[in-house]
Amino acid sequence: AIPGSTQILVEALRRHSDHLILVFDNPPPAQLPASWQGPDLTLVFERHGGYDFGSYQRGLALARERGLLERARHVLFCNDSVLGPLGDLAPVVERMQAEPDQAWGLTASHQLTPHLQSFFVLLGKPVLAHTALQQFFQSIEPQASRHAVIERYELGLSRALLAAGCHLHAWVQPQQLRDPHSGLPAGNPTAYPLSLVELGAPLIKARALREASANEEGITAACRLIAERNPELWKAIWEESPRQRQWQQL
């Protein structure tokens, strides 16, 4: 089944898109959401084992094949490792679209090396047309682990963008956040979900509800934030999660 939280995210993105291509690393579900029948949506269900970048590669190739890239000014790459919206997407998307020859991410990280975090990256068409970007997406192949994907493709995307002469712009930069315990700049902004939302980010990582190491501000506080900001989303998360007992004990 398609998780309710994914359906909510898709509908939020749909309001800001001319066309969405949803690529799943899964076989088709028994039933599709009724609203997923429109002409502005293309669905791909295929086991590929390539993590998010394997889906990005397939979605981009399909957009090119169907002539969608010819009409597009920008392409947004987003995956369902995030929960939202917890705020208005419009200011974020509009700011990113103002510079078609640049690369934007919702967040950037200084871990390992400065890079855009790949769960939400918007690229203008001139950027995608650069040889370095075309070679990057063509080179994507399945990796053995999530960490291998980060090393080769999340960091590799930023290397390709720099090679194309782009600056790495982000709605939230690490230096905007401080670790509440040490006072030092945050290495990974996604580990501070409450602070991200305060800075206008409309999405947080789903891991912030599952792993204490991925949330420096507390799982309980993150749950409460979602319940207050988007009750419909919290209802979907609660009904579908096997972690209800864990959350009740927090």
Side-chain angles (χ1 to χ4, degrees), residues 85-88 194 197-198 201 224-232:
L86 301 178
D88 192 356
L194 279 71
V197 173
E198 282 295 316
R224 187 176 297 115
L225 174 73
I226 295 173
E228 292 173 352
R229 291 277 184 141
N230 192 332
E232 179 189 7

Side-chain angles (χ1 to χ4, degrees), residues 87-134:
D88 192 356
L89 274 166
V92 177
V93 174
E94 290 169 5
R95 175 68 185 92
M96 293 179 177
Q97 288 179 328
E99 298 179 84
D101 60 342
Q102 292 299 326
W104 275 88
L106 188 63
T107 56
S109 172
H110 286 171
Q111 289 183 324
L112 301 178
T113 184
H115 65 280
L116 298 180
Q117 295 183 293
S118 60
F119 64 85
F120 190 102
V121 173
L122 189 139
L123 306 178
K125 185 159 69 172
V127 177
L128 281 168
H130 196 282
T131 301
L133 270 296
Q134 293 188 27

Side-chain angles (χ1 to χ4, degrees), residues 53-68:
F53 277 93
S55 291
Y56 291 167
Q57 180 191 50
R58 285 160 175 77
L60 187 62
L62 188 57
R64 184 175 288 109
E65 175 187 315
R66 297 194 176 182
L68 295 170

Side-chain angles (χ1 to χ4, degrees), residues 5 63 167:
S5 57
H167 295 290

